[in-house]
Amino acid sequence: MNTLAQKKLLVGVTGGIAAYKSPELVRRLRERGADVRVVMTAAAREFITPLTLQAVSGWPVRADLFDPAAEAAMGHIELARWADAIVVAPATADFIARLAHGRADDLLSTVCLTTRSRLLVAPAMNQQMWAAAATQANVEILSRRGVRMLGPDAGPQACGEVGPGRLLEPDVLAAAIAGQFRAPRFAGVRVVVTAGPTREPIDPVRYITNRSSGKMGYAVAEAFAEAGAEVTLVSGPAGLPAPSGVALVRVETAEEMAAAVCAHMDGAQVFVGAAAVADYRAAEVASQKIKKTAEAMSLALIKTPDILASVARRTPRPFVVGFAAETEQLIENARKKLESKHLDMIAANDVSLTGLGFESERNALQVIWKTGEASLPAARKGELARDLVELIGERYFEKNRAENS
Ligand code: C5P
């Protein structure tokens, strides 16, 4: 269990129904050794009482910006300086909007604006509110500023709807918060990740592509950056924003992806091929839009370069991780790819399962290497990526130790 010993955490509670989970979160954080103080917004006090949070944190709960007694004991500026991290859980859509726009009209927003410490935000709201363009734009503003979003989780909601917007469970949240303080394992390591589909043109308006959303590869790149690595993400057309701390190189075709990977591999120690690279492209791309005059037509296809296999042939050889999206005989097919492409590790996912893998927020992985394997059960792609990066770290550093001894 990751410890939070000697860490000072300020938990901000805002006004959503998920506030009923905040006392449990405070307890989980204290179990890990953190010193926890709580600030509530006025709306949060409509859902739970300050007394409950005082009891579990062991400290009086702060709520007002203009409270002479509290300000005399520890002013809002001192409170912001005191915290090693501020965790807003739950964070409502309204609070996220206020944070994104730099409002300072209550104690919690003022402390968030004042702090130089890391800011962690655990959103909780109705799934439509989460999906709303305004909320997503606010989340993007915050992510670009280095605010870490923890969740939301997907599933049944208090309002009766189902979808993304649930607060992460307190134990999952406490583990994710503790994870933010882990020593950056990959500091000084250069990593190249590919993600997304590729788009192979047929004529100026048509192309061949696949169902990859790019979410898994983007999550892997972000997890490496969180772990201290210097990350280049080479992405096909995924329409996703660049993860924070990651250099994003956008490409379209398999050949462009191969060239971009080659240009960034010098000095890279780890390569993760999470892209769903088209295996074939049109042998010839028509210069004008093809007319529908013929009753039938056939398209000649030729193979694209295998980026993963060519990276595995490089000297010096990086640590190479592939993905295998399979619809049948998952493990057997993944093992074959591990060997035929000379990989160090392969992460296999069954894309025939509904709700997991392609186009989904969630995934499950079976990770295989020469001397072992591990199951990473169904989870949000962000969490899964962090676990995968942990596993890659174990094998990568073990291999380095063996080669250097
Ligand atoms: O052989 P298959 O396409 O199933 O292998 C999947 C793995 O190979 C993925 O890691 C994918 O990123 C990589 N790949 C590649 N270049 C290709 C085809 C696949 O890097 N042309």
Side-chain angles (χ1 to χ4, degrees), residues 194-196 254 257 271-280 303-311 321-326 337 340-341 343 346-347:
T194 64
M257 186 174 275
F271 176 78
V272 181
V277 186
D279 292 324
Y280 293 91
K303 259 197 166 158
T304 55
D306 192 317
I307 303 167
L308 188 62
S310 68
V311 169
V321 183
F323 269 76
E326 302 290 343
K337 269 177 211 173
S340 67
K341 299 197 189 200
L343 310 178
I346 193 155

Side-chain angles (χ1 to χ4, degrees), residues 1 4 7 11 32 73 79 95 131-132 147 172 188 197 242 283 368 394:
M1 184 162 92
L4 282 166
K7 293 287 179 278
V11 173
R32 287 173 183 260
L79 196 57
F95 190 77
V147 174
V172 176
I368 303 167
E394 283 167 22

